[in-house]
Amino acid sequence: MALNIVKYSAEQGSFSATKNNVDIHLPANSGVYDLSKSYINVNVTLNETAAGDADAVYASSLKFNEGTSNDVVPPTNAVVVKHCDFISQSRGSIERIRHVDALRANLAIYEKDKSYLKEDKNVFKSAKTEQVFSKNGANELYNVGSVGSRVRPQDIRVDLKDLFGFGVVEQYDTSKFGNTKIHLQCNFDKLEVGGTITDAIPWALAVRTGVAGTYGAFASTAVNAGGGDEFTITSTAAYNVLEDIPFHTNQLLTVTFTNSAGGGPNTEDCRISEIVHNADGKVELTFATKIATVAAGQHLNTISVVQKASTTSSVTINKVELVAYRTEDQSGPGEIQFLSYSTESDSVPGATSLNKQYYLPPNTLNAIVMTPNSIYSRETNAITKYRFTLNNKATTNRDIEIKSGLHYDQLLKSFINMGLKLNNLDEAFINDDELQTADNSRVQAAILATPVPVSQNMTQMGLEITAGGAMSGNILIFSQRMSKV
């Protein structure tokens, strides 16, 4: 089946932290679309500027500041969207999900395996690797040569199927459903500029264990017999592979040095114009401006470098568009069944236990409970045990302790019933402020879930929770249900 790509821009002309509403229309009678391949594309530019050098380029990466867990790497790009609506001209509201960011982020740590989360296969790629830093950000960086690194825009791709249950539909016929509106309320206020190369990291750290030389240490320059300006320095450490090099052209460094004639230490801010990776593995940096001027017979010594911190940083949202895949089918079905979610939000009392009743809508297949302070259902005052009742009947013969066999059995039953694969039982987000080999490189989290017998009537769900300390924040109850339009 051949596909044609069609792009539809958002109605809004500008976006910011406060201008966060997005409305995109699929025109009526414009064809049949494969929603499972279509996605929302948010194009951004990461701005970092340095006082005194407008040409400086940083290893900028996109960071998502959730509010209470600022160092967590989002496991899905869907966190960019807070609420979403899919509205048909002829059928009305097809799907409306509140707090879709919490739903998709917390499910993702169970759906995606460890290698996926560790390798950061989404757009938020600032997590440290075993090399203590990452340069997999937005900008075009050159570790060797004289081609200048440059700032470039970055795309955030959010698949429709990662937002809507209806997003899996492969034949959406606009002649039957009419003009279609996708409305999003986005978390643009949570987008920030991040990066693991800073004015403090990784310069004092050893390039490799057991090998002399830190990232920031450089050898003394050769004696300048005739005197003159010094532009080039050579690292003391050898780099086996280019990916280990923390330098790039147009990077602004603060060079600290002393002059063999005495005095100092002195500092000078210099931007790299060329990088040479020598045969012995050492790196030779040449700067656009001089480090210092030395007299005849003198040289520079005790040389070290750190990256010059940027003075300002911001995220510019350039545009938002729907990238729609249009098929060559002449028509699609006029009636579609799909799995959707409805959301109920409740506040958590400042106590160590909770015992409340909730009502799930008709045709509910599964209930998923999350306890986010903002988005991530992480353990602040950790839940120690819980229990469900459905229409006053207990789903288990005892309390379910977190991380027990019964807890995982409950999750497995729910995921099977949701039609999802349970790939990861770590129940943790990645902490991008720690090496991935560190004990605290994971932020523990937990969701509670139970299958629900299908009923045409509402189901009364009892929820009992016991925590290790006074709870706070919100509870979100997501009811997965069968819908038809």
Side-chain angles (χ1 to χ4, degrees):
M1 179 176 62
L3 298 171
N4 299 311
I5 297 176
V6 186
K7 296 183 179 181
Y8 296 101
S9 297
E11 287 183 358
Q12 293 81 0
S14 63
F15 306 93
S16 66
T18 55
K19 297 178 179 179
N20 59 356
N21 287 313
V22 175
D23 293 295
I24 301 175
H25 289 268
L26 269 176
N29 302 310
S30 60
V32 179
Y33 294 89
D34 186 344
L35 300 184
S36 69
K37 293 182 172 63
S38 303
Y39 60 93
I40 303 295
N41 187 61
V42 183
N43 183 265
V44 301
T45 300
L46 308 185
N47 310 298
E48 284 194 89
T49 58
D53 197 324
D55 295 321
V57 175
Y58 290 82
S60 308
S61 58
L62 190 62
K63 188 178 181 71
F64 188 82
N65 186 339
E66 183 253 7
T68 61
S69 306
N70 300 343
D71 295 324
V72 165
V73 180
T76 171
N77 292 345
V79 295
V80 173
V81 179
K82 184 175 184 179
H83 307 307
C84 58
D85 294 84
F86 197 101
I87 305 165
S88 160
Q89 181 182 23
S90 60
R91 310 295 172 88
S93 178
I94 292 178
E95 190 169 11
R96 185 174 191 260
I97 305 180
R98 309 297 87 184
H99 302 287
V100 70
D101 49 1
L103 173 67
R104 298 306 183 183
N106 292 302
L107 285 179
I109 63 172
Y110 294 89
E111 291 181 83
K112 297 178 180 179
D113 60 29
K114 297 177 184 178
S115 63
Y116 187 106
L117 296 173
K118 185 174 180 179
E119 292 171 8
D120 289 322
K121 292 181 180 178
N122 57 50
V123 75
F124 300 98
K125 298 178 179 178
S126 60
K128 295 179 186 177
T129 65
E130 283 73 8
Q131 285 75 39
V132 308
F133 65 88
S134 171
K135 300 182 81 170
N136 296 323
N139 295 333
E140 186 177 306
L141 306 178
Y142 294 95
N143 285 15
V144 294
S146 58
V147 176
S149 301
R150 65 187 181 93
V151 175
R152 67 176 182 184
Q154 181 176 28
D155 290 330
I156 308 172
R157 171 175 172 156
V158 184
D159 290 342
L160 291 184
K161 62 185 177 183
D162 285 345
L163 295 176
F164 301 100
F166 196 72
V168 301
V169 173
E170 296 179 354
Q171 292 179 307
Y172 181 74
D173 191 345
T174 54
S175 67
K176 293 185 172 77
F177 287 87
N179 184 62
T180 301
K181 178 180 177 180
I182 297 173
H183 173 74
L184 311 174
Q185 184 179 331
C186 297
N187 287 317
F188 292 152
D189 58 317
K190 299 183 184 298
L191 298 180
E192 295 180 352
V193 178
T196 54
I197 297 179
T198 68
D199 56 340
I201 298 173
W203 314 111
L205 300 174
V207 173
R208 289 187 308 281
T209 303
V211 177
T214 63
Y215 288 98
F218 280 74
S220 300
T221 61
V223 173
N224 194 323
D229 297 334
E230 295 287 351
F231 288 87
T232 302
I233 55 176
T234 303
S235 67
T236 57
Y239 296 88
N240 291 335
V241 293
L242 295 181
E243 288 76 12
D244 289 345
I245 299 174
F247 307 107
H248 57 268
T249 55
N250 281 336
Q251 184 179 23
L252 188 62
L253 302 178
T254 297
V255 183
T256 301
F257 61 93
T258 58
N259 192 308
S260 60
N266 305 296
T267 61
E268 188 70 28
D269 294 339
C270 301
R271 179 169 47 82
I272 300 173
S273 60
E274 184 177 9
I275 303 175
V276 176
H277 190 213
N278 294 330
D280 60 1
K282 295 181 179 180
V283 170
E284 188 177 285
L285 305 182
T286 299
F287 297 102
T289 55
K290 67 179 181 179
I291 305 168
T293 301
V294 298
Q298 296 177 359
H299 65 282
L300 305 180
N301 54 32
T302 322
I303 303 171
S304 64
V305 304
V306 298
Q307 180 172 272
K308 179 74 172 180
S310 62
T311 51
T312 62
S313 66
S314 63
V315 177
T316 300
I317 301 158
N318 303 314
K319 63 179 178 180
V320 183
E321 60 187 2
L322 171 66
V323 180
Y325 281 69
R326 187 164 58 198
T327 74
E328 293 184 348
D329 297 329
Q330 297 302 308
S331 65
E335 188 174 278
I336 299 173
Q337 278 193 333
F338 64 100
L339 292 173
S340 183
Y341 293 89
S342 60
T343 313
E344 182 176 352
S345 178
D346 193 13
S347 59
V348 178
T352 59
S353 63
L354 173 75
N355 190 341
K356 297 192 74 171
Q357 300 291 319
Y358 300 95
Y359 286 90
L360 310 179
N363 300 317
T364 294
L365 300 170
N366 298 279
I368 309 160
V369 178
M370 301 177 184
T371 57
N373 284 326
S374 181
I375 294 174
Y376 305 130
S377 189
R378 60 190 293 267
E379 296 183 359
T380 304
N381 286 309
I383 295 172
T384 56
K385 59 185 179 179
Y386 62 98
R387 197 169 187 176
F388 288 106
T389 62
L390 297 174
N391 291 329
N392 297 314
K393 294 181 179 180
T395 60
T396 56
N397 59 7
R398 62 189 185 276
D399 290 344
I400 304 170
E401 295 184 358
I402 292 291
K403 296 191 179 299
S404 67
L406 187 57
H407 170 64
Y408 294 130
D409 184 60
Q410 190 79 4
L411 286 174
L412 181 59
K413 289 178 181 178
S414 300
F415 270 72
I416 291 174
N417 206 41
M418 284 189 282
L420 301 175
K421 187 176 181 181
L422 186 60
N423 286 313
N424 195 337
L425 292 177
D426 273 2
E427 295 193 289
F429 294 94
I430 287 179
N431 184 345
D432 76 349
D433 197 40
E434 297 291 339
L435 287 176
Q436 296 311 292
T437 53
D439 291 338
N440 55 350
S441 65
R442 298 294 184 269
V443 177
Q444 291 300 308
I447 67 171
L448 319 177
T450 184
V452 179
V454 178
S455 171
Q456 298 300 311
N457 302 313
M458 298 182 76
T459 299
Q460 183 182 17
M461 183 187 76
L463 176 63
E464 297 180 36
I465 293 176
T466 302
M471 296 181 287
S472 63
N474 297 313
I475 280 184
L476 294 177
I477 299 101
F478 292 97
S479 300
Q480 189 198 42
R481 53 193 176 82
M482 183 63 70
S483 299
K484 183 170 68 174
V485 291

